[in-house]
Amino acid sequence: MLARNRFLLLVVVGAAALAVISLSLQFLNLIPVTPIVEERPFPAADEIISLVQGKSRKRVFLVPHTQESDPISEAYAYCNTPNRTEQAWEGHSPADYKLLSVQVMIRHGDRYPLYYIPKTKRPAIDCTLSTDKEPSHPLLASFIRHMGQGSRGHWESPLASVARLPNHSACEMGELTQTGVVQHLRNGQLLRQAYRHHSFLSPDWLPREVWVETTGRSRTLQSGLALLYGFSPDYDWTKLTVHHQWSTLFCGSACDCPARNRYLEEEQRRQYRLRVADVELERNYADMARTLGVATRLLRAANPIDSLQCYFCHGLAFPCVLRGEDGAGGCLTKAQFAVIRRQQLEDEVDRRKVGLYHKYAVLAMHPYLNRTAAKMEKVAKASVAGRARSEEVFSLSSAHDVTVAPLLSALGLEDSKFPRFAARVVFELWRSPSEEPRKQPGKAEKVLDREMFIRVLYNGEDVTFHTTFCRTHDRHSRQPLCPLKNFLSFVRRDMFRSMDATSYQEACSRHSG
């Protein structure tokens, strides 16, 4: 009887402790009380994607990917098919912290291939938008109507002549698909729900509060417009200026960097050596070329993985050619696709070990990170001074995989997955509740050091404490967020340590090696 009473007592105490922990986490806004739900899922590899990417709502900090990757599962994750519930951790912080600004970089959504596989038909995909086909979205119809008013916006040259919607019944090379549009309508909606309780933007935001920039490719422009519409439906076009970035590195006027180019050349030579030494890969290319009846070198030059990934993401049968008198003919297979994907995954592992790509990435992305840091510092100082809202507090950069991948590497997020379609990186600036008297000598600097914090999120996951500049910060300390000063020091000096330099100019002028 006594043992039974003790057992019951332990059960009651344990249940009470769990309840206290759960309420504490919700009070700190680290676990959202209501999940974010997708309104219109559609069936296409839903079960597999759920297993690959998971639906856990209790994970706050990203666990680096260490186990061996399955090429086909990774390919499904890369597609980012919009048919599942997705949890976003943007907008969550300890209680009473104030969100001051948000800066977002995205990769464009799903697109038509950039390369053509010799002797095969192009994938049959319609790139016009319609609410009658899948995937769709509750905002799609109003988004299409809103884009028809785009002439009222302000466009930096040459963006005014770029189509605001994909509009070809037979997709053109590299064109955004309806899937790509829906992916970013979802991204925008996720961010709107994540930030709806924060007042860092005016209800009817002012032109100077929002910055949108894109490369001149239609897929990046259209992706940015889709996310912005999901984030702020039916915004006033007259308040929007869309800025043009001529470089995929978003380096503006600071693109000249000889050492960066040398690191990239050395990295490309490393990739070539690794692929040539891969016997299974070479045999695989030879088998594919024999099926198509073309020279192996011609097939490799056509970069078949890009086109095969499109067939795979859209659930289309892989291309076939009729068998001819020379014996060539047949269909390309998922097994052949998996061999190329496997080599890509192994290349990513080798790339991290060698380190050439990381040095390239630091120099490639410093101009963008420097602008990000400058914007954050400007907003932080305005907050300390108590000035009226006049700063850019929401920035959107619509880019490519060759932009997002080096950004992740430069931040030290080497174990993050290669940017999938519609990937997003988010920088948040937070201010903690003040604990000091308002009027003190040197108050402004103290506030910047003690009350300003940064969060970095990748595809909705909080990866702040995996970044180089905050990996050693005690996340369980009195201040559970990463100090902004860590990020500012990293961008302006510390990120060049791997090249034995103290500035961007010095690092750019040095010979790689």
Side-chain angles (χ1 to χ4, degrees), residues 361-372:
V362 165
L363 297 179
M365 295 314 299
H366 174 264
Y368 172 80
L369 287 171
N370 194 44
R371 282 196 297 132
T372 301

Side-chain angles (χ1 to χ4, degrees), residues 408-420:
L408 295 171
S409 180
L411 291 170
L413 301 171
E414 300 285 353
D415 290 328
S416 295
K417 300 293 181 65
F418 186 82
R420 66 193 189 189

